[in-house]
Amino acid sequence: MATFLYRLGRLAFRRRRVVVMLWVAVLAAIGIGAMSAPGTSSGALSVPGTQSQRAIDLLRKEFPQASADGATARVVFEAPSGQKLTSAANKAEVESLVAQLEKSPQVSGVTDPFTSGLVSRSGTIAYTQVSYKVAQADVSGAAHAVQTDVVAQGENAGLKVSLGGNAVKDKAASKAAELIGVGVAAIVLVITFGSMIAAGLPLLTAILGVAAAILSVTLATHFFDLASASTTLALMLGLAVAIDYALFIVSRYRNEIRDGHGPEEACGRALGTAGSAVVFAGLTVIVALSGLSVIGIGTLTAMGLASAFAVSVAVIIALTLLPAVLGFAGPRIMKGRLHTRRMKALERGEGESTGVRWAKFVTRNPVKVLAVSVAGLAVLAMPAMSLKMALNDDSMKPPGSTQRVAYETLSKGFGPGFNGPLTVVVDARDSDDPKAAAQDAYTMLSKLDDVAAVRPPSFNQAGDVALLGAVPKSAPTSEATKDLVGEIRDHGATLHQESGADLMVTGLTAVNIDVSTKLSDALVPYLAIVVGLALVLLLLVFRSVVIPLKAALGFLFSVVSTLGVLVAVFQWGWLKDVFGVDQTGPIVSLLPILLVGVVFGLAMDYEVFLVSRMREEYVHGAGPTQAIVQGFRHSGRVVTAAAVIMVSVFSGFLLDDAVLIKSIGLGLAAAVFLDAFVVRMTIVPAVMALLGHRSWTLPKWLDRILPNVDVEGEKLRHALEAEQTDSAPEPVLAGVHAGSDGHSVPQSFSGLPSSGATDAPGPAQQAAPGKARGLSGLKQRLARGGDATAPADSTGSQAPARRKPLKNPMRRR
């Protein structure tokens, strides 16, 4: 892996113009294809195999005119203050608007509020139910235009008209969150590198990567129905990880330059080491997100796969486009005019960074630090014991939105249950008396305490399948409504025993309840699958049993603590004004399992980046405690910057009006903050200091089985050192030579070579000036295990000796 990435980095560096042109061509092609794409939908949920979905499938067959899986909209009318809708003028206006809705494209049916009893007792509020022939994602712009016209005409007549239901188009989301995240990331990168060029490269490549990913997801809507939340999550994660991955590679590239390597060589070495960590870190995120597809919920699968694709693009961009851009920047990336005095002192090797001082403090007091950290996380996790989940409905729409106004108006006129009516299906095809079975179901529903109204049964043409309606007294997301659905289904078992008919409950409320149950049941198996696969990856990366187990336990601490924060804010209302939460309620059912997938991947990112540098120091001979400190010396500042960037990107989504996006933003921001600063940078070094050498042990039998992926680039390092050792270095004077890339790179000028020539380059130098001698020889040495004493290949022996450049005196020691 490291050798391949080393070669890839140097190739992209040399062929930077070709690489950039290829990426521009790819972006242009994807952009052209995305322009004609239908775009994402608001994402209707369905769970195959559940009772609600079976009922929908039956209704689609037996009641095709009902459009069981079609979109629906509720148009709510409210009379002006002091008037009633039953007055002649207002009634005529409502009937005119209803007639206009009936002529709307794709409409299969519209209820008349005056003949269907959909007028409140006060006579001031009424609503009509609009059913569409097509699914939510396929409602046309013309149909949405009719909805808008009805609202405008009704308000011109003095009525208050609002729209609810899944057929109503959501307001376009604000882009402020992305802009704030990018702005904060730019500031952090400038502070970290002290250079505008070094700070700009991660931002540039991240923006291009996110653009490619989002355009690709949009292009995919030609073939798949994707929820709008898919692109939001893909944008959120893609931007965060793309900046982080570029940040680690650029940081390593600058370190290699300080070590005296030329830009091309430094780029190859940076990709061979930090690039390997990026690959495995990205792979853990992809595994975690792709694992969402095993749950069996289409919307969640789309969100997971779209986000995994965005992360994949971020990795590919970091391994191809970033080295090419580094080729254009060359050694100018080292110009740090924005360095503070402290940063300049650290560059000279004077003093210690904050990360090093923190690592020494933790390793000196591991027990105390561990106890305080675990206790703090436990306190934050306590509210998670009161976690309640429900799917979002119109009550969670932004305040002032037409869906939210319609929900509140209906609740005021009819009760909250009218926002979530239940559809009851009686399948009496195996019953001796279908009509009697349907009547028994109607009687049963009428006697239930939490039922506000029941619609009599209507039959299909064959007369053996009946459709009833039941309106709960309680809100759709309440526990009382959930209990009511369970009670109706329990009575269905009794009905089946008595009449042979099957009773099923469906409708949006019942579907949401089934989805929430499915998510709750899938959480533990999903956690086991994702953690299991990621543990295998970490076992390969670190060749240690303790490190992966510690990483997984730390992740569990992060997730439970984050759920506690979410419950405290969104469910209990703590600090709700600070975070812009206008009302409390259950946590969105999608969030916990989504949080598990996303946070696990991100947590493993920091584990890989921080601990891989510790392992690199350890395998080079440093003691366990010294390896921890050295790991913080080289990676602490970069990991801190990466975490701050991610927290900033995610926190920006708190500005979104949608509760789901707001809760995802807070959840991810809290999880990254807790995992990076409390778990990875505090608990991890404390545990490793306590375990000492045992942190890096691996049973011999397992060591023989596992392949060596060389994430630290150890084989690459040995091979490159062997390549330098095979040469015959002479006393050198550091000079400057224009390499093959056109940049000024450190080179060596020696005295007269044996041939008597002064500065005449040898044949190998003429063929590839500035290039490391014999990559084919390097490959052969790697095949021999990087033996420094192995003889050079015949081709390499013909070339002049390659001299090792003097190390930069500014190198940090």
Side-chain angles (χ1 to χ4, degrees):
M1 171 68 75
T3 305
F4 169 76
L5 293 178
Y6 170 82
R7 295 163 64 92
L8 176 64
R10 297 195 61 164
L11 177 64
F13 190 98
R14 290 195 306 273
R15 307 298 183 190
R16 49 190 172 275
R17 291 179 179 83
V18 175
V19 173
V20 170
M21 286 190 294
L22 286 175
W23 271 109
V24 171
V26 169
L27 276 173
I30 297 173
I32 293 172
M35 290 175 62
S36 60
T40 57
S41 69
S42 54
L45 290 172
S46 64
V47 186
T50 60
Q51 187 186 102
S52 57
Q53 190 62 45
R54 291 199 306 270
I56 290 174
D57 295 339
L58 179 61
L59 288 176
R60 188 185 298 114
K61 176 182 178 182
E62 301 295 337
F63 291 87
Q65 72 279 6
S67 301
D69 57 347
T72 60
R74 289 184 299 275
V75 184
V76 183
F77 308 96
E78 185 174 8
S81 179
Q83 299 182 27
K84 292 187 177 182
L85 291 175
T86 52
S87 66
N90 288 334
K91 182 177 181 180
E93 182 63 30
V94 170
E95 288 177 340
S96 173
L97 296 175
V98 170
Q100 186 174 344
L101 287 168
E102 290 175 343
K103 298 177 183 178
S104 175
Q106 302 176 317
V107 167
S108 62
V110 180
T111 58
D112 188 323
F114 299 105
T115 60
S116 303
L118 303 180
V119 181
S120 65
R121 293 181 181 179
S122 63
T124 59
I125 297 173
Y127 74 96
T128 180
Q129 186 85 6
V130 184
S131 300
Y132 290 85
K133 300 175 183 178
V134 297
Q136 173 184 0
D138 299 321
V139 177
S140 66
H144 288 305
V146 172
Q147 296 173 2
T148 304
D149 291 342
V150 165
V151 172
Q153 292 179 23
E155 291 180 345
N156 289 336
L159 302 176
K160 296 179 182 178
V161 185
S162 52
L163 305 172
N166 62 356
V168 181
K169 191 174 183 179
D170 287 325
K171 182 180 177 181
S174 171
K175 300 300 181 184
E178 294 91 323
L179 295 177
I180 291 175
V182 171
V184 174
I187 295 172
V188 173
L189 289 171
V190 169
I191 294 174
T192 301
F193 290 126
S195 165
M196 295 297 293
I197 296 178
L201 294 185
L203 283 177
L204 174 63
T205 55
I207 291 172
L208 292 176
V210 168
I214 298 302
L215 288 175
S216 299
V217 171
T218 305
L219 180 63
T221 60
H222 276 297
F223 315 101
F224 308 102
D225 177 23
L226 298 178
S228 56
S230 302
T231 55
T232 303
L233 185 62
L235 175 62
M236 189 187 299
L237 285 176
L239 184 61
V241 301
I243 294 175
D244 278 6
Y245 295 163
L247 169 63
F248 284 107
I249 292 177
V250 170
S251 176
R252 190 60 181 252
Y253 173 74
R254 285 162 56 92
N255 286 341
E256 296 294 340
I257 291 285
R258 291 192 190 98
D259 286 348
H261 300 293
E264 183 181 327
E265 178 69 12
C267 184
R269 288 174 179 256
L271 243 69
T273 51
S276 298
V278 165
V279 169
F280 281 93
L283 196 56
T284 57
V285 182
I286 293 169
V287 166
L289 292 171
S290 301
L292 292 171
S293 58
V294 305
I295 298 171
I297 298 177
T299 299
L300 204 57
T301 298
M303 294 174 69
L305 294 180
S307 302
F309 178 77
V311 174
S312 303
V313 172
V315 173
I316 296 172
I317 285 278
L319 299 180
T320 56
L321 181 60
L322 180 60
V325 177
L326 288 174
F328 287 106
R332 292 190 299 274
I333 200 172
M334 302 302 295
K335 295 181 180 179
R337 298 180 181 178
L338 302 176
H339 278 127
T340 63
R341 290 183 179 180
R342 178 174 176 77
M343 293 173 65
K344 292 178 180 178
L346 292 174
E347 290 282 350
R348 295 192 300 267
E350 300 172 5
E352 293 181 339
S353 65
T354 303
V356 170
R357 292 201 302 270
W358 173 252
K360 290 183 177 180
F361 171 77
V362 172
T363 53
R364 284 197 302 264
N365 307 280
V367 176
K368 295 178 181 178
V369 169
L370 186 61
V372 172
S373 301
V374 172
L377 291 177
V379 171
L380 289 177
M382 289 177 65
M385 300 175 64
S386 302
L387 176 66
K388 294 180 180 179
M389 295 187 294
L391 281 177
N392 56 321
D393 58 7
D394 284 349
S395 67
M396 299 182 183
K397 295 294 183 181
S401 64
T402 186
Q403 297 99 321
R404 180 72 170 270
V405 172
Y407 184 95
E408 293 171 347
T409 305
L410 270 182
S411 299
K412 180 174 67 175
F414 300 92
F418 274 77
N419 286 290
L422 303 176
T423 301
V424 181
V425 181
V426 178
D427 182 5
R429 290 176 295 182
D430 296 330
S431 175
D432 296 333
D433 191 348
K435 291 187 178 181
Q439 187 60 39
D440 289 344
Y442 176 79
T443 303
M444 178 269 295
L445 292 171
S446 302
K447 293 180 180 179
L448 296 178
D449 295 335
D450 198 38
V451 173
V454 182
R455 187 179 71 238
S458 57
F459 288 87
N460 62 342
Q461 290 184 351
D464 52 7
V465 177
L467 181 63
L468 301 88
V471 178
K473 294 180 181 178
S474 50
T477 58
S478 66
E479 284 293 320
T481 301
K482 183 178 180 180
D483 295 339
L484 174 62
V485 171
E487 186 178 1
I488 294 174
R489 288 171 172 172
D490 290 340
H491 282 292
T494 304
L495 181 67
H496 179 75
Q497 293 177 355
E498 295 176 352
S499 63
D502 291 325
L503 183 147
M504 295 176 286
V505 184
T506 188
L508 183 60
T509 301
V511 169
N512 287 350
I513 291 172
D514 287 344
V515 170
S516 296
T517 303
K518 178 83 171 180
L519 290 170
S520 299
D521 295 342
L523 183 58
V524 174
Y526 168 71
L527 192 61
I529 292 173
V530 171
V531 172
L533 290 175
L535 285 178
V536 172
L537 286 175
L538 292 178
L539 188 64
L540 291 173
V541 171
F542 296 119
R543 306 191 69 79
S544 165
V545 176
V546 173
I547 299 296
L549 291 176
K550 171 186 56 62
L553 290 175
F555 153 72
L556 293 177
F557 275 126
S558 302
V559 167
V560 177
S561 301
T562 302
L563 289 177
V565 171
L566 290 174
V567 170
V569 174
F570 288 94
Q571 196 170 305
W572 292 359
W574 291 5
L575 301 176
K576 67 176 185 178
D577 294 333
V578 174
F579 295 106
V581 179
D582 65 291
Q583 67 172 4
T584 59
I587 304 300
V588 179
S589 299
L590 291 173
L591 186 54
I593 200 162
L594 193 63
L595 196 66
V596 167
V598 174
V599 173
F600 186 81
L602 298 181
M604 295 307 104
D605 271 7
Y606 297 120
E607 183 77 14
V608 170
F609 288 131
L610 187 61
V611 180
S612 64
R613 195 58 192 254
M614 296 179 188
R615 175 173 170 78
E616 187 174 343
E617 297 295 331
Y618 181 78
V619 297
H620 289 160
T625 301
Q626 185 183 3
I628 295 171
V629 174
Q630 290 299 320
F632 271 82
R633 182 186 304 278
H634 293 289
S635 300
R637 183 182 182 86
V638 179
V639 170
T640 300
V644 171
I645 289 172
M646 277 203 176
V647 170
S648 302
V649 171
F650 295 147
S651 296
F653 287 86
L654 286 169
L655 300 177
D656 198 290
D657 293 330
V659 174
L660 176 60
I661 302 303
K662 189 185 292 287
S663 58
I664 290 177
L666 177 60
L668 292 179
V672 170
F673 179 85
L674 294 174
D675 193 87
F677 296 111
V678 180
V679 175
R680 307 301 155 190
M681 301 189 76
T682 305
I683 293 179
V684 165
V687 172
M688 293 178 67
L690 288 172
L691 293 176
H693 290 283
R694 288 170 293 181
S695 298
W696 307 105
T697 56
L698 183 70
K700 292 183 178 179
W701 63 270
L702 190 57
D703 186 45
R704 290 192 298 268
I705 296 174
L706 293 179
N708 189 351
V709 296
D710 190 27
V711 71
E712 302 89 5
E714 187 64 17
K715 289 183 177 179
L716 173 64
R717 181 184 297 273
H718 287 321
L720 293 174
E721 288 176 353
E723 191 73 17
Q724 292 175 346
T725 304
D726 284 346
S727 64
E730 301 174 16
V732 296
L733 175 66
V736 176
H737 171 71
S740 63
D741 54 10
H743 298 302
S744 295
V745 297
Q747 288 290 341
S748 301
F749 294 95
S750 67
L752 294 176
S754 57
S755 63
T758 54
D759 288 332
Q765 290 174 316
Q766 290 175 346
K771 183 178 178 182
R773 181 176 63 85
L775 277 177
S776 59
L778 167 62
K779 191 172 182 181
Q780 292 182 18
R781 279 170 170 64
L782 287 172
R784 295 194 295 266
D787 185 4
T789 61
D793 61 292
S794 57
T795 304
S797 61
Q798 302 290 329
R802 181 181 177 215
R803 296 166 181 85
K804 186 175 181 180
L806 290 177
K807 295 190 179 225
N808 192 328
M810 297 293 290
R811 180 186 177 187
R812 186 183 308 171
R813 297 183 182 276

